[in-house]
Amino acid sequence: MLRASVHIEDILEKVLEYNPAAEVSLIRKAYEKSLQAHGDQIRKSGNPYVEHPLEVALILTHLRLDVPSIAAGLLHDTVEDTSLTQEEVVREFGGTVAYLVEGVTKIGKIKFTSAEEKQAENFRKMLLSMSKDIRVILIKLADRLHNMRTLEYLPEDKQKRIARETLEIYAPLANRLGIGWMKAELEDLCLRYLKHEVYFGLVKKIARKKEDREAYIKEVVDIINKNLKENHFTADVTGRSKHIFSIYQKMEKNGISFEEVFDLAAIRIITDTKFNCYAILGLIHSLWKPVPGRFKDYIGVPKSNLYQSLHTTVIGPGGERVEFQIRTAEMHQTAEEGIAAHWKYKEKGSFDEKNDAVFAWLRQLVEWQRDLSDNRQFMNSVKMDLFAEVVYVFSPKGAVKELVKGSTPIDFAYSIHTEIGDHCTGAKVNGKIVPLRYELRNGDMVQILSSPTQYPNKDWLKWVKTPRAKTKIKHWISVEERKRSLEIGKKLLEKEFRRNHLNPSAPLKSEHFQTILKELGVLSVEELWVLLGYGKISPHQVIQKLLPQEPLKEGVKDKPAKKPGMEKEGVKVTGMHDILTHISKCCNPVPGDPIIGFITRGRGLSIHSVECPNIDELDYDKERIVDVDWETRTDSTYPVKISVVTVDKPGILASVSQAISSSEANISHAEITTSAENKKATLIFIIEIKDLQHLERVFKNIEKLESVVQVKRVRGGN
């Protein structure tokens, strides 16, 4: 048998380094059981399968986790992938290890209706496990990190699917848990597989500048060390280049080329006291001019994951931007290990009360998973909470609230209590009255004004940013819409009964009508009224079932007339027939995009992308949303608007147009704007494509062009 690249002795040695009293015999036993269980199993790379649990366990030692966690890391795939049972794990390794193994085991036996549902169900289970014992997610993250490191051996479609899920869920989770190095590595690996050409293009460009960059970092470090010594500071100074994904993000966000990204260097200073952190900050600002708006004090106001550090960016030697991070050794340990730095080995998964704030966001996610039965809404809420930049604001009593960047007083009100949010009429920020759509800024002190006669309205959905506020507003509006639809549906059915000379109330009490309800899949008369009011069922459908129909004339087939546009869009509608559909112009979804259908009043079914900019204004009304999917078609094309930012030079429009045409996509519209100030050109195209894979092929061809800085899809007014 081939030998694994990591040996169990390496793991035991590392555990004993940070926990000399560790009972490593349990870890050795777990390794032997894993080796026996996996037997001759081979990974896609051709290496023995046991290499994977060994690598996972090694990653866990970097987080300085306890013995049960390392043992569970070695056993995490055995229950699903081998003949070893959960009962055997309990018997041989105890309840704690067995619980951790069960929490990490992938869901393989449950059948799901879609990939999205499977992802949501996986994540719901992971959340519940996390809320009981945070070690579950730390093991899961280690598992995902090693899988990403060996992703090259899988087919391209699986590479992209796993990388996309990692970028959307696992990298942000690592960030939320404060494990910065893991987040950075996961993001870089995701970029490698999602945007192959972009990633390796950046790798080459960074390599060309490597010697210059290292020489520059050394110059800055030498200057700092000299000044620290002269001022009698005790500190350790190290320099590093920023990771690839952060450089890519900066290029994308600002629409700039690699050559225009100046702050590629980051310097870290680790000192002995909090006081000296601020003193060294003053020293740096005396040496070089700070960049306005780039100073962050995470010592005074720590992040929710307990991260503490001072961040500042200065104009360093040669006019280049340099970012500094200044912290104590204890703060650095938290920054490296994240939540695991606060581990208490003797208490099963518990933390000090002072660190309880770490779990505020986790408790919120658990609450959402209970409140939001819709998988798409739930995953959108999770991604919003994990991805978003944050602002820190204060209550009148000085309590700190962490909110999504762009949040409004309404978000703040709902973060305190649902009742306060529902009855919010206005707010004072820093003592001054502000409108409800005001965007809160770091350091704002917020006081909510309320009234018992005030209630949420749809406009609020355009202003709020936090998933909690959106969920609560949608729930309130949904309840009100249901009441309104019930009244409308009742009146529509009564009107149809009268038109057919029926007593409006008599048929509802008959046994025959109860049978009709069952045929329609409706539980009660009240629910029927609601569905009639929403437009999901028509009064005519009810009458057709209630009254005997005239027999069809001979030769006439019982087939509904096709309405214009019924099949034109290539969309399948679950549970509904003979309905007019149209692709929404606000988001222009294409085959491959996840989509939903929304019943409009008088215009049939509107098909939207789940990423539609107007989705929040649709989501409140669940009864008007129907499941839809794409038909398998190859003869239709769909318009997509794309934006291409390039270096402004002669012939660039022709080059990009050629790249699009070579991808077999037709250009129906093109426009170009240039900026003399930054020497950039922005090219807007509307192209006709067949599906999402076709669009990705277009993007790949455009990204190969040397002068292209950014390519993105434009939805709605974006």
Side-chain angles (χ1 to χ4, degrees):
M1 180 192 257
L2 292 168
R3 282 176 59 84
S5 57
V6 178
H7 198 272
I8 186 61
E9 300 302 330
D10 302 328
I11 292 164
L12 299 180
E13 184 182 336
K14 285 190 174 293
V15 172
L16 289 170
E17 278 177 17
Y18 63 79
N19 187 10
E23 295 180 16
V24 293
S25 59
L26 187 71
I27 297 175
R28 189 184 294 279
K29 183 181 175 183
Y31 165 68
E32 289 167 357
K33 179 59 70 173
S34 179
L35 187 63
Q36 177 192 341
H38 288 296
D40 294 329
Q41 287 180 353
I42 300 295
R43 300 196 87 212
K44 296 288 185 184
S45 62
N47 291 345
Y49 193 92
V50 76
E51 178 184 89
H52 172 62
L54 278 168
E55 290 282 1
V56 169
L58 185 64
I59 292 167
L60 294 173
T61 65
H62 293 313
L63 298 174
R64 300 162 66 92
L65 286 194
D66 59 353
V67 167
S69 301
I70 308 295
L74 289 164
L75 295 166
H76 76 276
D77 274 337
T78 54
V79 173
E80 183 189 17
D81 295 340
T82 77
S83 59
L84 191 70
T85 65
Q86 187 70 16
E87 290 72 23
E88 287 177 272
V89 178
V90 173
R91 189 168 59 249
E92 295 191 39
F93 298 95
T96 301
V97 173
Y99 174 78
L100 295 175
V101 170
E102 184 182 30
V104 180
T105 297
K106 301 164 194 164
I107 303 172
K109 297 175 183 176
I110 303 172
K111 300 297 180 186
F112 297 98
T113 56
S114 68
E116 185 177 73
E117 184 176 340
K118 184 169 184 176
Q119 184 193 52
E121 288 302 325
N122 272 314
F123 198 73
R124 285 179 194 272
K125 187 166 185 178
M126 191 164 64
L127 275 181
L128 291 172
S129 299
M130 281 168 63
S131 65
K132 293 174 184 173
D133 195 323
I134 200 71
R135 289 175 289 187
V136 170
I137 189 55
L138 296 174
I139 300 167
K140 186 72 179 176
L141 282 170
D143 173 49
R144 179 52 62 104
L145 177 58
H146 185 246
N147 282 335
M148 286 299 299
R149 287 174 176 174
T150 55
L151 203 60
E152 63 189 285
Y153 300 105
L154 296 182
E156 187 179 351
D157 61 327
K158 284 191 176 180
Q159 289 177 354
K160 287 188 179 296
R161 178 180 59 76
I162 293 169
R164 193 171 290 111
E165 182 182 67
T166 302
L167 191 61
E168 290 180 350
I169 298 296
Y170 292 97
L173 262 177
N175 183 50
R176 265 296 198 174
L177 294 169
I179 313 168
W181 66 268
M182 186 181 284
K183 172 210 175 226
E185 185 176 347
L186 286 172
E187 286 177 339
D188 281 356
L189 288 166
C190 290
L191 185 64
R192 172 182 174 179
Y193 292 103
L194 290 174
K195 291 189 174 285
H196 188 269
E197 286 83 4
V198 171
Y199 174 82
F200 284 102
L202 286 173
V203 168
K204 286 179 183 176
K205 289 174 180 176
I206 290 168
R208 284 201 293 265
K209 285 193 169 189
K210 186 180 178 183
E211 286 186 17
D212 291 343
R213 184 60 42 202
E214 288 176 351
Y216 184 80
I217 289 172
K218 184 179 183 304
E219 179 188 352
V220 175
V221 169
D222 288 345
I223 294 170
I224 289 293
N225 276 326
K226 177 175 176 290
N227 280 272
L228 288 172
K229 189 175 180 181
E230 288 175 359
N231 289 276
H232 310 292
F233 287 114
T234 301
D236 179 44
V237 185
T238 55
R240 62 180 175 83
S241 294
K242 290 195 170 181
H243 70 285
I244 297 169
F245 187 80
S246 69
I247 295 169
Y248 165 75
Q249 268 189 317
K250 183 154 285 190
M251 292 166 59
E252 282 286 291
K253 184 178 178 181
N254 300 323
I256 57 177
S257 63
F258 174 78
E259 288 69 27
E260 294 170 289
V261 180
F262 293 111
D263 52 340
L264 293 172
I267 309 294
R268 183 173 293 145
I269 300 175
I270 300 172
T271 187
D272 51 355
T273 66
K274 187 188 292 187
F275 178 85
N276 280 345
C277 289
Y278 289 98
I280 291 170
L281 174 74
L283 175 64
I284 291 167
H285 284 179
S286 71
L287 291 171
W288 298 295
K289 186 177 180 180
V291 177
R294 293 298 302 273
F295 169 64
K296 300 280 177 62
D297 183 355
Y298 294 120
I299 293 179
V301 183
K303 291 186 178 183
S304 60
N305 57 21
L306 304 182
Y307 176 88
Q308 287 184 286
S309 192
L310 298 177
H311 289 196
T312 188
T313 301
V314 301
I315 306 298
E320 287 203 38
R321 293 187 175 200
V322 185
E323 182 186 294
F324 284 88
Q325 297 173 353
I326 311 160
R327 59 181 75 137
T328 65
E330 185 183 353
M331 293 172 191
H332 182 61
Q333 186 184 354
T334 299
E336 288 295 294
E337 299 168 21
I339 207 166
H342 300 270
W343 196 256
K344 301 190 75 178
Y345 293 103
K346 295 180 182 178
E347 298 177 23
K348 299 175 183 178
S350 66
F351 292 82
D352 291 328
E353 276 187 34
K354 66 178 182 179
N355 298 327
D356 195 50
V358 175
F359 287 107
W361 64 274
L362 178 55
R363 281 194 296 270
Q364 183 66 74
L365 289 182
V366 172
E367 184 183 320
W368 287 332
Q369 82 86 25
R370 289 176 184 143
D371 289 350
L372 296 175
S373 57
D374 179 79
N375 284 324
R376 182 177 46 78
Q377 258 199 22
F378 168 65
M379 290 309 293
N380 286 344
S381 295
V382 167
K383 290 169 190 176
M384 166 65 80
D385 189 75
L386 292 178
F387 264 123
E389 293 181 59
V390 297
V391 293
Y392 297 93
V393 297
F394 297 87
S395 73
K397 293 183 179 179
V400 180
K401 282 282 182 184
E402 180 187 288
L403 297 172
V404 175
K405 190 175 182 181
S407 289
T408 64
I410 305 172
D411 292 290
F412 181 84
Y414 277 108
S415 75
I416 299 168
H417 196 277
T418 302
E419 285 291 312
I420 294 173
D422 283 348
H423 300 297
C424 174
T425 56
K428 285 184 178 180
V429 173
N430 305 323
K432 295 181 180 178
I433 295 285
V434 296
L436 289 176
R437 61 178 177 273
Y438 170 85
E439 285 193 13
L440 298 172
R441 300 180 179 90
N442 272 318
D444 278 348
M445 190 182 78
V446 189
Q447 179 185 351
I448 298 299
L449 308 175
S450 61
S451 165
T453 59
Q454 173 69 39
Y455 295 103
N457 62 67
K458 291 178 188 177
D459 285 340
W460 286 14
L461 291 171
K462 299 174 185 175
W463 305 333
V464 296
K465 293 289 183 183
T466 57
R468 177 182 174 82
K470 288 179 181 177
T471 301
K472 297 299 181 183
I473 294 166
K474 287 172 187 174
H475 175 72
W476 193 92
I477 295 172
S478 176
V479 169
E480 293 303 305
E481 285 281 333
R482 183 180 176 85
K483 289 178 188 174
R484 181 167 168 265
S485 292
L486 188 147
E487 290 301 318
I488 292 171
K490 190 175 182 181
K491 289 175 182 176
L492 285 173
L493 191 59
E494 286 175 355
K495 184 178 178 182
E496 189 71 11
F497 280 173
R498 288 194 184 97
R499 200 168 67 82
N500 285 273
H501 312 294
L502 292 172
N503 183 323
S505 59
L508 305 181
K509 299 172 184 176
S510 68
E511 286 186 20
H512 180 46
F513 200 77
Q514 293 303 314
T515 305
I516 291 169
L517 291 179
K518 286 180 183 177
E519 288 176 8
L520 292 169
V522 180
L523 297 175
S524 66
V525 173
E526 185 177 285
E527 187 185 346
L528 175 65
W529 288 333
V530 171
L531 294 175
L532 286 164
Y534 281 123
K536 273 197 165 181
I537 295 175
S538 72
H540 183 62
Q541 282 177 274
V542 179
I543 290 296
Q544 276 187 316
K545 289 184 176 294
L546 189 62
L547 298 178
Q549 303 297 304
E550 288 184 15
L552 293 171
K553 292 179 182 178
E554 192 177 342
V556 179
K557 292 183 180 179
D558 185 12
K559 184 178 179 182
K562 187 188 291 184
K563 294 183 181 181
M566 267 180 65
E567 296 180 2
K568 178 186 172 186
E569 309 298 358
V571 175
K572 294 183 289 186
V573 184
T574 305
M576 299 181 78
H577 305 284
D578 195 26
I579 185 168
L580 180 72
T581 65
H582 65 275
I583 299 292
S584 171
K585 288 186 171 59
C586 57
C587 53
N588 284 325
V590 300
D593 281 333
I595 52 174
I596 60 168
F598 187 77
I599 299 172
T600 60
R601 302 196 191 276
R603 292 190 62 227
L605 196 66
S606 178
I607 308 300
H608 293 261
S609 161
V610 297
E611 294 179 9
C612 176
N614 297 323
I615 202 76
D616 284 329
E617 295 173 48
L618 307 176
D619 261 357
Y620 69 87
D621 207 340
K622 285 289 148 216
E623 298 297 341
R624 288 167 66 188
I625 289 178
V626 296
D627 292 331
V628 292
D629 205 351
W630 296 103
E631 293 276 13
T632 306
R633 297 173 66 91
T634 56
D635 56 345
S636 297
T637 60
Y638 301 80
V640 172
K641 190 176 185 180
I642 66 171
S643 166
V644 184
V645 178
T646 73
V647 176
D648 185 17
K649 66 178 189 180
I652 190 62
L653 178 60
S655 299
V656 176
S657 299
Q658 174 58 34
I660 295 171
S661 299
S662 67
S663 308
E664 300 178 339
N666 184 50
I667 300 170
S668 59
H669 175 81
E671 60 183 75
I672 182 169
T673 57
T674 59
S675 170
E677 184 181 342
N678 62 11
K679 297 181 180 177
K680 292 287 189 309
T682 301
L683 288 67
I684 301 294
F685 295 95
I686 295 177
I687 59 176
E688 298 289 330
I689 56 109
K690 293 179 181 178
D691 53 31
L692 205 55
Q693 287 70 35
H694 190 187
L695 182 62
E696 286 176 1
R697 198 160 71 245
V698 173
F699 276 22
K700 195 173 284 188
N701 274 356
I702 296 172
E703 286 168 348
K704 287 177 183 176
L705 299 175
E706 186 70 28
S707 301
V708 169
V709 174
Q710 179 192 69
V711 187
K712 66 178 182 179
R713 183 173 173 182
V714 181
R715 295 184 189 272
N718 294 341

